[in-house]
Amino acid sequence: MNYPSRLIEDAVNEISRLPGIGKKTALRLALHLLKREEEQTRSLSDAIVNMRTKTTYCVKCHNIADEMYCNICANTKRDRTTICVVVDTRDVLAIESTNQYKGLYHVLGGIISPLEGIGPSDLNIDSLVDRVEKPAEEEGVQEIILALSPTMEGDTTAFYLQKKLKSTGVKMSTIARGVPIGGDLEYADEITLGRSIISRVAYD
């Protein structure tokens, strides 16, 4: 494609690097931004740069945060006796959208996958064990909910966590398999995901 401007071409190339956006869509977005007021375009670029440079991770649960603690961990009204273990922030957002869960979270940052070279040491597992074994004064963890996608890697990770935490005596459960086998939590509809949280079963 012959672009009328090298600057437009550079913008299209960068935008098309985003997942799910091809060159035609990228060109449409670039031309749309070009027509907007300069201040609006600058606000967009500043928001993206700030997101990339200032976003941090919660020191307790590893969820995305603006400060030392994420909004969920900092909320004193959350049930601090229950921790829902998820793969990443997208799963936190998916579960929060159901309005069915009021506890805390722990983001693993991935799942055990030998084929991809991801082992337990690459995940936020040790900090989860610390939260259970050495709870803060305001916490006394009574239940761990394993809300991992029902794939082979997810089941492997759940089994490892169950073995790792067995000696703590904390109750462990997994979300009911209302979520399709082989599916990802972020793509599950809110009703199915909400019922899966409510109908969780003990992890044996």
Side-chain angles (χ1 to χ4, degrees):
M1 181 182 295
N2 293 322
Y3 296 93
S5 162
R6 180 182 56 80
L7 298 177
I8 290 291
E9 182 177 2
D10 290 344
V12 169
N13 288 336
E14 290 303 317
I15 294 173
S16 65
R17 293 175 185 270
L18 297 173
I21 297 183
K23 287 295 180 78
K24 289 184 178 180
T25 300
L27 176 59
R28 203 157 50 241
L29 292 172
L31 293 177
H32 172 74
L33 292 172
L34 187 61
K35 293 179 181 179
R36 295 178 65 180
E37 295 291 334
E38 182 178 342
E39 183 178 346
Q40 293 179 322
T41 304
R42 191 179 301 279
S43 294
L44 173 61
S45 63
D46 288 345
I48 293 174
V49 170
N50 287 335
M51 176 192 68
R52 184 63 186 86
T53 59
K54 297 181 180 181
T55 295
T56 185
Y57 293 92
C58 178
V59 297
K60 179 177 290 186
C61 74
H62 308 287
N63 188 20
I64 291 175
D66 294 332
E67 307 292 342
M68 180 179 293
Y69 296 103
C70 69
N71 292 336
I72 295 175
C73 284
N75 186 349
T76 57
K77 295 182 179 179
R78 304 288 297 210
D79 176 11
R80 314 190 84 77
T81 66
T82 307
I83 296 177
C84 183
V85 179
V86 297
V87 173
D88 58 31
T89 296
R90 290 174 297 183
D91 297 333
V92 173
L93 295 174
I95 294 174
E96 283 296 288
S97 69
T98 69
N99 292 316
Q100 299 292 335
Y101 178 69
K102 303 304 179 184
L104 301 180
Y105 292 91
H106 191 88
V107 179
L108 293 177
I111 52 178
I112 298 173
S113 179
L115 292 178
E116 296 182 10
I118 302 175
S121 61
D122 299 310
L123 308 180
N124 300 318
I125 293 178
D126 288 343
S127 56
L128 173 61
V129 175
D130 285 343
R131 291 180 70 180
V132 177
E133 292 183 340
K134 308 170 186 176
E137 291 183 2
E138 73 277 9
E139 292 183 17
V141 181
Q142 298 176 11
E143 180 181 6
I144 298 291
I145 303 173
L146 301 178
L148 307 178
S149 296
T151 60
M152 182 177 295
E153 292 81 4
D155 286 344
T156 298
T157 305
F159 178 75
Y160 180 86
L161 292 174
Q162 189 268 340
K163 298 283 286 185
K164 189 79 173 178
L165 295 168
K166 187 175 183 179
S167 61
T168 65
V170 68
K171 176 184 177 181
M172 297 192 68
S173 59
T174 182
I175 57 175
R177 294 304 174 93
V179 178
I181 299 297
D184 290 320
L185 289 182
E186 63 176 306
Y187 298 121
D189 66 273
E190 295 177 7
I191 294 177
T192 298
L193 190 55
R195 287 177 178 173
S196 295
I197 287 290
I198 294 174
S199 304
R200 61 186 181 270
V201 296
Y203 190 92
D204 296 321

